[in-house]
């Protein structure tokens, strides 16, 4: 599906990002994998190469900093000669800011600002650099990682939920603004996926969490990766501005 395409994946040190790098490469893509954690993103690149699934360029980048985002995108273009698609997957959760399960009125200003800086500003900075290049070079495809928390309100996830609602707005707006440039922009809204990202929720309310999922299990990172790869491919060439749930039926329940 991605034969000879150049795909940039952020948040690729593990979980959904790593799974998408492996899936994209297996479909013929050249992948650039980026994360603030360079040691683990190097491991992702090594796994791609060891699987004989094409080339992989590891990059270190803090997406909340415009200079690092611009440098990251330039590195991809310089190394591969172009950029055909991007999976903006990097994000942080409330538990990573010391605000696990806290209600909106209990979240510190610093924690709220950190979540917004990484999840919203960071995603926008990535989109800005990608859109600038793609709109001037014949088009491309962008997929953002949102969440079921970007579709509903969830107690104890107010700041995170706000950030993901914002990503949905960025996705839809960019899709409308850049359709004439042949750039497609969509978002995936994962449910409870078996990654370290959901460890806080599992620790505090694991049974209730699984009971809320009609399939009664966690999703696997590769199940989200399959959707990302399809959206990045030309098979989804008439799909833009849409939000896709990969949630085991959670939003239908």
């Amino acid at each position: 599906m991605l034969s000879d395409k150049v795909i940039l994946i952020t948040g690729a040190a593990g979980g959904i990002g790593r799974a998408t790098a492996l899936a994209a490469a297996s479909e013929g893509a050249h992948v650039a994998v980026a994360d603030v954690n360079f040691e683990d993103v190097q491991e992702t690149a090594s796994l791609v190469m060891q699987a004989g699934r094409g080339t992989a360029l590891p990059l270190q980048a803090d997406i909340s900093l415009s200079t690092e985002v611009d440098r990251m995108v330039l590195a991809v273009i310089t190394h591969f000669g172009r950029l055909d698609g991007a999976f903006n997957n990097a994000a942080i959760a409330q538990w990573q800011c010391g605000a696990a399960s806290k209600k909106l009125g209990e979240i510190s200003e610093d924690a709220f600002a950190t979540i917004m800086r990484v999840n919203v500003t960071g995603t926008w900075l990535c989109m800005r650099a990608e859109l600038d290049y793609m709109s001037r070079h014949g088009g491309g495809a962008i997929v953002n990682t949102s969440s079921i928390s970007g579709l509903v309100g969830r107690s104890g996830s107010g700041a995170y939920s706000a950030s993901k609602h914002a990503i949905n707005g960025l996705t839809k707006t960019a899709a409308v603004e850049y359709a004439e440039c042949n750039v497609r922009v969509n978002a995936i809204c994962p449910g409870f996926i078996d990654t370290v990202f959901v460890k806080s929720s599992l620790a505090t309310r694991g049974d209730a969490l699984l009971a809320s999922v009609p399939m009664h299990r966690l999703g696997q990172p590769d199940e989200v990766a399959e959707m990302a790869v399809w959206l990045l491919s030309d098979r989804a060439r008439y799909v833009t501005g849409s939000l896709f749930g990969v949630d085991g039926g959670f939003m239908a329940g």
Side-chain angles (χ1 to χ4, degrees), residues 14-235:
I16 292 171
R18 176 173 288 179
T20 302
L22 289 164
S26 72
E27 291 291 342
H30 306 288
V31 297
V33 288
D35 201 282
V36 70
N37 184 336
F38 190 54
E39 183 177 344
D40 285 352
V41 88
Q42 283 182 304
E43 183 179 348
T44 297
S46 295
L47 289 170
V48 170
M49 301 293 285
Q50 289 168 16
R53 293 178 170 180
T55 57
L57 173 68
L59 298 167
Q60 184 174 33
D62 179 345
I63 65 164
S64 71
L65 301 175
S66 61
T67 53
E68 295 204 14
V69 169
D70 292 343
R71 177 178 53 80
M72 171 184 71
V73 172
L74 179 60
V76 177
I77 297 166
T78 300
H79 184 82
F80 291 110
R82 65 183 193 279
L83 176 64
D84 302 304
F87 182 37
N88 298 319
N89 173 66
I92 58 173
Q94 282 190 202
W95 62 265
Q96 293 172 295
C97 302
S101 301
K102 289 189 177 181
K103 295 180 179 179
L104 276 171
E106 301 169 341
I107 300 172
S108 71
E109 186 174 344
D110 284 346
F112 191 89
T114 298
I115 290 168
M116 292 299 162
R117 185 174 68 251
V118 175
N119 294 5
V120 182
T121 302
T123 298
W124 167 70
L125 287 172
C126 290
M127 290 176 67
R128 183 177 68 170
E130 295 151 3
L131 289 165
D132 177 65
Y133 176 83
M134 292 177 184
S135 65
R136 293 185 291 105
H137 292 85
I142 294 172
V143 178
N144 296 321
T145 297
S146 180
S147 169
I148 53 173
S149 296
L151 302 172
V152 296
R154 292 187 58 238
S155 179
S157 299
Y160 180 77
S161 179
S163 74
K164 294 302 185 176
H165 275 79
I167 286 174
N168 294 346
L170 290 171
T171 297
K172 292 181 178 182
T173 301
V176 172
E177 291 179 340
Y178 288 87
E180 64 182 10
C181 299
N182 195 35
V183 180
R184 298 183 298 102
V185 188
N186 294 286
I188 298 175
C189 300
F192 302 110
I193 309 300
D194 189 10
T195 68
V196 295
F197 219 70
V198 300
K199 74 173 187 178
S200 176
S201 296
L202 285 172
T204 57
R205 52 185 188 277
D207 291 341
L209 182 151
L210 291 179
S212 70
V213 180
M215 286 188 173
H216 299 298
R217 69 172 177 86
L218 296 177
Q220 295 303 308
D222 65 287
E223 293 174 311
V224 181
E226 291 295 330
M227 175 63 78
V229 167
W230 181 75
L231 287 171
L232 289 166
S233 80
D234 292 338
R235 294 187 186 182

